[in-house]
Amino acid sequence: MKFILTQISAAILAATAVSAAYLTPRQEATPDGGNQDQNQNQTSQQYPEGFDAGVLNGTWYLTGATQNVWNAYELLSQKMNLNINCLQFNVTGTSNTTLDVFASTFLSKNGTNIGVNATVAGAFILQSPDSQTNVSNHEFYWDAFASQVYVNKAQWENFTSNGQSTSSNSSESGSTVIPGTRPMEASIYTQLIDSNAQPGSNESTNYDTVFIWGSQFKTLDTSAQKRADDIYGIILSKTSNVADDTFNKTINLLPPAIAASNTSVVKLNDTCSLENSDQQQQQQ
């Protein structure tokens, strides 16, 4: 299963920003004479054991999504004839409350071996828990930022022309923005999960799964803000290939609000092997 990149940005509130610039908070003095580091420590201490964002360091793969996201993808995939393969996020903690996120994926068209790599970079900034954050369940509340998606210019021209482009060598053409993608920001929640834990157990810190969800977002170049009553979410895992029994156990560990809202979750097939195969064919 694959996802339309623009729908991921809108529906599941993925926290990404352009690969050319990271969106990170400035180091400023606060009205009470404190500084950004002190504020970060205060925020971290509002979570159990003083949360350190570095626990999320590493590569995470998209392995599941709520049914509403999947339904939206199917509709757009048929309309746009565009697939996303092997969506992955490389995460680095830049402080105990901030994360840099570099995302990459391989876009392809149905029935062809033509594809293009797309990349984005982004930021998660931890916020004080709100009334919906169950901190005892390893849940966290973030400000997240997203912006346009970047691709290699020559590869994109070749991709959109069905292989008929006469552009120069891709290594010399620089990058370009995928038309229609916009900067975005969102308030999102994450839950850290040990897929081997028993339901109701909160003792483990061996996190191999992250559930990300939200219901609202806004673009950064417009004042409009869209809202929805439904929960839109994705599951990220440390491996791109998750066994069925492991995935089913993970579903039972999701926040109670997911079950209460009758939100179902779809397990996604591993497309990373497909992505590697497609790129090899493209290079031949």
Side-chain angles (χ1 to χ4, degrees):
M1 298 179 183
K2 306 144 193 170
F3 280 81
I4 292 300
L5 196 57
T6 51
Q7 183 60 28
I8 290 174
S9 297
I12 63 179
L13 317 175
T16 52
V18 294
S19 57
Y22 290 92
L23 297 177
T24 55
R26 292 177 297 171
Q27 299 289 328
E28 315 183 310
T30 59
D32 61 359
N35 56 43
Q36 190 70 33
D37 290 338
Q38 290 175 334
N39 290 341
Q40 290 175 347
N41 289 333
Q42 291 173 0
T43 300
S44 177
Q45 292 303 319
Q46 295 180 57
Y47 292 91
E49 301 180 359
F51 176 67
D52 182 358
V55 73
L56 291 169
N57 287 352
T59 301
W60 300 84
Y61 299 88
L62 179 67
T63 56
T66 52
Q67 185 69 54
N68 48 15
V69 173
W70 173 244
N71 290 344
Y73 161 71
E74 287 190 306
L75 180 63
L76 289 175
S77 179
Q78 294 175 8
K79 182 178 180 179
M80 300 175 67
N81 190 31
L82 182 66
N83 294 316
I84 282 184
N85 305 294
C86 195
L87 180 59
Q88 54 188 290
F89 302 83
N90 293 313
V91 178
T92 303
T94 53
S95 76
N96 60 348
T97 59
T98 58
L99 296 169
D100 280 351
V101 182
F102 184 84
S104 62
T105 188
F106 185 72
L107 304 179
S108 65
K109 293 183 179 180
N110 288 326
T112 74
N113 61 357
I114 301 173
V116 60
N117 292 303
T119 59
V120 293
F124 281 35
I125 304 173
L126 188 68
Q127 303 299 303
S128 299
D130 67 359
S131 60
Q132 300 181 57
T133 311
N134 183 358
V135 296
S136 65
N137 193 39
H138 306 297
E139 296 177 18
F140 301 87
Y141 183 51
W142 307 82
D143 275 350
F145 297 87
S147 77
Q148 297 153 298
V149 183
Y150 276 74
V151 290
N152 177 274
K153 184 176 180 180
Q155 290 181 359
W156 180 250
E157 291 177 358
N158 188 59
F159 180 65
T160 55
S161 65
N162 293 318
Q164 302 304 310
S165 172
T166 59
S167 297
S168 60
N169 186 282
S170 62
S171 63
E172 302 174 353
S173 64
S175 62
T176 190
V177 173
I178 293 181
T181 60
R182 292 182 175 182
M184 300 172 62
E185 69 174 299
S187 295
I188 63 171
Y189 301 89
T190 63
Q191 180 197 16
L192 307 186
I193 299 172
D194 175 3
S195 63
N196 294 311
Q198 294 300 317
S201 172
N202 295 310
E203 302 301 322
S204 176
T205 58
N206 184 28
Y207 306 121
D208 59 4
T209 306
V210 179
F211 181 58
I212 305 175
W213 76 99
S215 60
Q216 65 180 20
F217 74 99
K218 63 181 177 180
T219 57
L220 300 182
D221 56 354
T222 176
S223 59
Q225 182 164 344
K226 300 179 181 180
R227 295 177 180 271
D229 294 330
D230 292 337
I231 294 174
Y232 294 86
I234 56 171
I235 293 177
L236 304 181
S237 304
K238 278 293 189 180
T239 175
S240 62
N241 187 11
V242 178
D244 289 343
D245 58 343
T246 300
F247 187 81
N248 292 333
K249 287 176 61 178
T250 299
I251 298 303
N252 292 327
L253 295 168
L254 295 182
I258 304 304
S261 63
N262 294 318
T263 301
S264 59
V265 181
V266 178
K267 180 179 179 292
L268 307 182
N269 293 333
D270 176 14
T271 59
C272 289
S273 56
L274 172 63
E275 180 249 1
N276 292 334
S277 175
D278 284 346
Q279 291 190 69
Q280 290 175 359
Q281 293 180 23
Q282 184 184 34
Q283 294 171 357
Q284 291 179 352

